[in-house]
Amino acid sequence: MQMREVPLDRMMPAVNFANRSSARAGENWGHRIIPDYQLFYVVSGRAEFRAEDRVHTISEGEFVYYGPGCPTFLSVTEPTDFFSLHFDWHRDSPDPVHPGHAVRFVEAGMPCGEIEALTLRGGNLGDAAMPTVASVSGLEQILMRMVREYEQAQIGYAFALRALMMQAIALIFRHLIAGNGRRPKDNRIELAIQAIQGQPGNNWSVAELAGLCGYHPIHFSKLFKEEVGLAPKHYIIGERVRLAKAALLQGEKMSSISLRLGFTSVHYFSHQFKLITGLTPSEFRMNGSAGERS
């Protein structure tokens, strides 16, 4: 196994491709070897990733991460909405280099080359191994901004993509450090998260959540953002949108979803839903957008 280290303070990532799309049940991207690194994030639905004898299931809100050198097989097992991000961890130029021309399609059962194990080095903040599958709160919003920058390709977009990629990596790193126990996880913050998830339609105030955890609201907000990567208000909206996705696919009316999940109006619900997912609720219900995929 090849060991690779990425020092965060010297990192210069480059985004090669960013896309949000959908796929039918059973759709796959073949047995292939990619030339760069990919992060495949499932917005709704379910995907399956195979590399050698390893099989990973990617559920809603999770991503799979992998790189070059090893044949992989990525497929969806039910109608799935997803983000596909191809990138390099370090490259002098931020200009996107589309991976399509260098993808190699291979026969099933082809042996894997040397597998790379990557470690994110944060200096005195600690080190974290990049996982194959993970779930990171707040990542979906950053991916949506990447897709917009990539598709619009306005002046300076390559540098904007680099900045967003660094933001995404920082968010992933914080999550991994907290999960690895290198920074103590505050169980009292968890009480607020449990309350939000248990009653997502409640009109929670920061003061109420802080009271559950025994903190002053200002201190609570700071700790909450450090732990989760989002302000309490944004986390609540994200949880509501996550639940709304499932409800939309099950055929529930938008007015009912809006009322049940605590949105002040259908208009506000639609606005927040599009900010996070890039689609209106109606567009999401109709299975997303077409276009380039993975």
Side-chain angles (χ1 to χ4, degrees):
M1 179 175 289
Q2 180 183 358
M3 308 299 291
R4 182 179 180 186
E5 299 177 355
V6 176
L8 296 185
D9 59 347
R10 297 197 297 274
M11 178 180 58
M12 296 175 63
V15 174
N16 295 323
F17 174 78
N19 171 252
R20 187 186 189 283
S21 191
S22 59
R24 300 181 297 274
E27 190 165 347
N28 69 78
W29 291 273
H31 294 273
R32 65 179 188 171
I33 299 175
I34 61 174
D36 52 5
Y37 298 85
Q38 182 174 16
L39 192 151
F40 185 92
Y41 180 100
V42 173
V43 178
S44 66
R46 191 177 300 270
E48 187 175 271
F49 173 75
R50 296 174 179 266
E52 276 196 316
D53 58 348
R54 297 167 296 160
V55 180
H56 300 276
T57 298
I58 308 99
S59 302
E60 178 181 319
E62 295 180 332
F63 68 81
V64 61
Y65 157 80
Y66 62 103
C70 191
T72 59
F73 186 81
L74 180 63
S75 63
V76 298
T77 56
E78 59 186 71
T80 299
D81 202 46
F82 63 88
F83 286 99
S84 176
L85 177 71
H86 282 260
F87 67 100
D88 286 307
W89 284 102
H90 189 90
R91 196 171 72 224
D92 289 343
S93 171
D95 294 334
V97 178
H98 197 290
H101 70 283
V103 171
R104 292 171 50 207
F105 289 92
V106 299
E107 295 182 1
M110 178 179 174
C112 189
E114 195 167 21
I115 300 175
E116 179 182 273
L118 186 138
T119 299
L120 300 174
R121 295 216 173 274
N124 59 6
L125 300 176
D127 300 333
M130 189 67 184
T132 301
V133 176
S135 175
V136 177
S137 298
L139 188 59
E140 186 173 329
Q141 293 91 325
I142 300 176
L143 292 173
M144 192 66 242
R145 292 170 62 191
M146 286 187 189
V147 170
R148 289 173 181 161
E149 284 289 347
Y150 183 84
E151 291 180 344
Q152 294 172 5
Q154 296 180 353
I155 295 174
Y157 83 106
F159 294 101
L161 285 171
R162 170 170 282 176
L164 287 168
M165 190 68 214
M166 293 177 74
Q167 185 178 349
I169 293 169
L171 189 62
I172 292 170
F173 178 75
R174 289 174 182 171
H175 169 84
L176 295 176
I177 288 294
N180 288 340
R182 295 182 183 275
R183 179 167 55 84
K185 184 176 178 65
D186 196 319
N187 290 328
R188 288 178 293 178
I189 293 294
E190 193 65 24
L191 291 176
I193 293 174
Q194 290 174 2
I196 293 168
Q197 293 177 343
Q199 295 179 281
N202 189 48
N203 186 25
W204 293 107
S205 68
V206 172
E208 287 175 320
L209 295 171
L212 291 175
C213 302
Y215 288 127
H216 185 280
I218 294 177
H219 185 58
F220 167 78
S221 295
K222 179 182 177 183
L223 289 178
F224 193 96
K225 190 166 185 178
E226 287 178 355
E227 291 290 339
V228 179
L230 295 170
K233 176 183 176 181
H234 295 150
Y235 180 82
I236 292 170
I237 292 173
E239 280 297 300
R240 291 174 176 174
V241 168
R242 181 181 67 82
L243 295 171
K245 292 175 189 174
L248 286 166
L249 295 178
Q250 291 168 5
E252 186 176 346
K253 293 181 179 180
M254 281 190 279
S255 57
S256 172
I257 297 171
S258 174
L259 180 64
R260 180 168 60 83
L261 293 180
F263 291 99
T264 54
S265 67
V266 174
H267 175 75
Y268 182 66
F269 163 55
S270 298
H271 176 70
Q272 293 297 327
F273 191 95
K274 188 169 185 178
L275 278 179
I276 291 178
T277 68
L279 298 173
T280 66
S282 297
E283 290 169 339
F284 180 84
R285 200 199 295 270
M286 293 174 65
N287 220 8
S289 57
E292 246 184 319
R293 298 203 172 172
S294 179

